[in-house]
Every structure is written in C-alpha cells, then in structure tokens.
Amino acid sequence: MKHPRPSSPSDAPPGTVTLGGGPIGWFSAALHVTANELCPEEVSRLFGVEPTACQTKDVPLRREDGSTKRVPKFGRWTHSLKSAQTDEWDIEAVIEELLGYLPQKLEVWRQVAALGAIRISVGLALSSGNEEFELDPELMQFLGERNIGIYFDVYGESAK
C-alpha cells in the first residue's frame, strides 16, 4: 500500500515553518548493465525490455543534427525512471517500480550478470539537512541474489 507523502499539518497557522526531516523530494533511478564489450541487444533479449538508453563501445553517439556527440569506451544498457514518470516519492518504492519493469526470475539475472556489472544508480536531492529513506531487508536480499549493486548520488538543494 502506498503511504501518503508526509506534509505539514493542513490546519497549521499561516507562516508556520517546517524544519527539515521527511522524505527526499527529487530523484532519478536507473538500472545499468555495463561491460567493456557489452552488446545492449543481448541484454534487451534476456530482459525482454528495450532500454531507455544504451551505447556500444566504439560506436559513435550522434546528436540530432548527425554530428558525433562522443564515442563510448564501453558498452551500457540502461533502463531509467525519472520523478516525472511516477507519482511515487518513497525511494524504496521507486526502486521496486523500476525493477517491476524487468523479469523477476533469478536465472535471467544470472545470465545478464554474466554479460556485465549490474547496478542501480539513484540520484537524490536534499532540500534540508535531515531527509531520509531506507531500504528494507527484503529489497536488499532481492538485489544481492541478483548481483545488483546500488549507488546513491546525493545533491544539496542548490545542485538541482
């Protein structure tokens, strides 16, 4: 069950200031499979899901005008979820939603792990010095069984 987003009391007098605490207000989350010679099409085949972004080593990435943006030095398959794509605010629920697009079967994840390193990257922005999130043991076990690392990139409010 989705928990309501914490907020200041609705009957608070005008001018009430809320001090820190509470959930993190902005995020991005992505699952990456990365390897030097990764073939993104193979990851898509195993997962049965197209990436939101991908790159192949030494294959130029192009801008809209056709010019070369850059030439990757490694392969990567990415499936991302931005805050505008969900009404979730809880980081754990966001990670679970991201994983919900992908197969749950352990064997599929083992095959993907044989192709490259798997990690979830989560970008977070703090608007105060006391915001929080947690990851339940069940999610941590799910990630560990599938050899999925997790990386948090935390920004102060001014970096958004």
Side-chain angles (χ1 to χ4, degrees):
M1 180 172 100
K2 185 174 176 178
H3 298 288
R5 184 178 181 85
S7 61
S8 299
S10 59
D11 59 350
T16 299
V17 176
T18 302
L19 300 175
I24 294 170
W26 173 90
F27 73 88
S28 65
L31 182 122
H32 305 282
V33 181
T34 307
N36 193 37
E37 302 293 333
L38 183 77
C39 175
E41 294 80 10
E42 181 64 10
V43 177
S44 294
R45 185 188 68 76
L46 289 168
F47 277 155
V49 173
E50 290 300 313
T52 55
C54 65
Q55 65 183 42
T56 303
K57 180 180 178 180
D58 296 330
V59 176
L61 296 174
R62 306 277 180 198
R63 293 185 182 92
E64 286 186 27
D65 68 3
S67 63
T68 299
K69 182 177 181 178
R70 66 182 172 84
V71 179
K73 298 189 184 311
F74 58 89
R76 179 184 300 164
W77 183 98
T78 298
H79 189 76
S80 63
L81 182 63
K82 305 286 186 200
S83 58
Q85 296 172 291
T86 180
D87 63 351
E88 273 300 343
W89 57 269
D90 179 84
I91 298 304
E92 183 174 55
V94 167
I95 293 169
E96 289 172 352
E97 184 174 335
L98 176 67
L99 292 170
Y101 291 100
L102 303 165
Q104 304 301 299
K105 291 186 178 183
L106 189 55
E107 183 54 35
V108 172
W109 287 91
R110 288 184 176 152
Q111 291 174 15
V112 172
L115 299 176
I118 307 171
R119 84 172 186 183
I120 292 176
S121 64
V122 180
L124 308 168
L126 303 177
S127 58
S128 74
N130 183 24
E131 295 175 323
E132 60 190 36
F133 68 93
E134 69 177 304
L135 301 178
D136 287 334
E138 294 83 9
L139 177 59
M140 299 296 288
Q141 182 176 358
F142 182 92
L143 297 175
E145 288 172 346
R146 287 155 182 79
N147 204 30
I148 303 171
I150 191 157
Y151 174 84
F152 295 98
D153 199 3
V154 182
Y155 301 91
E157 179 65 22
S158 62
K160 272 206 290 196

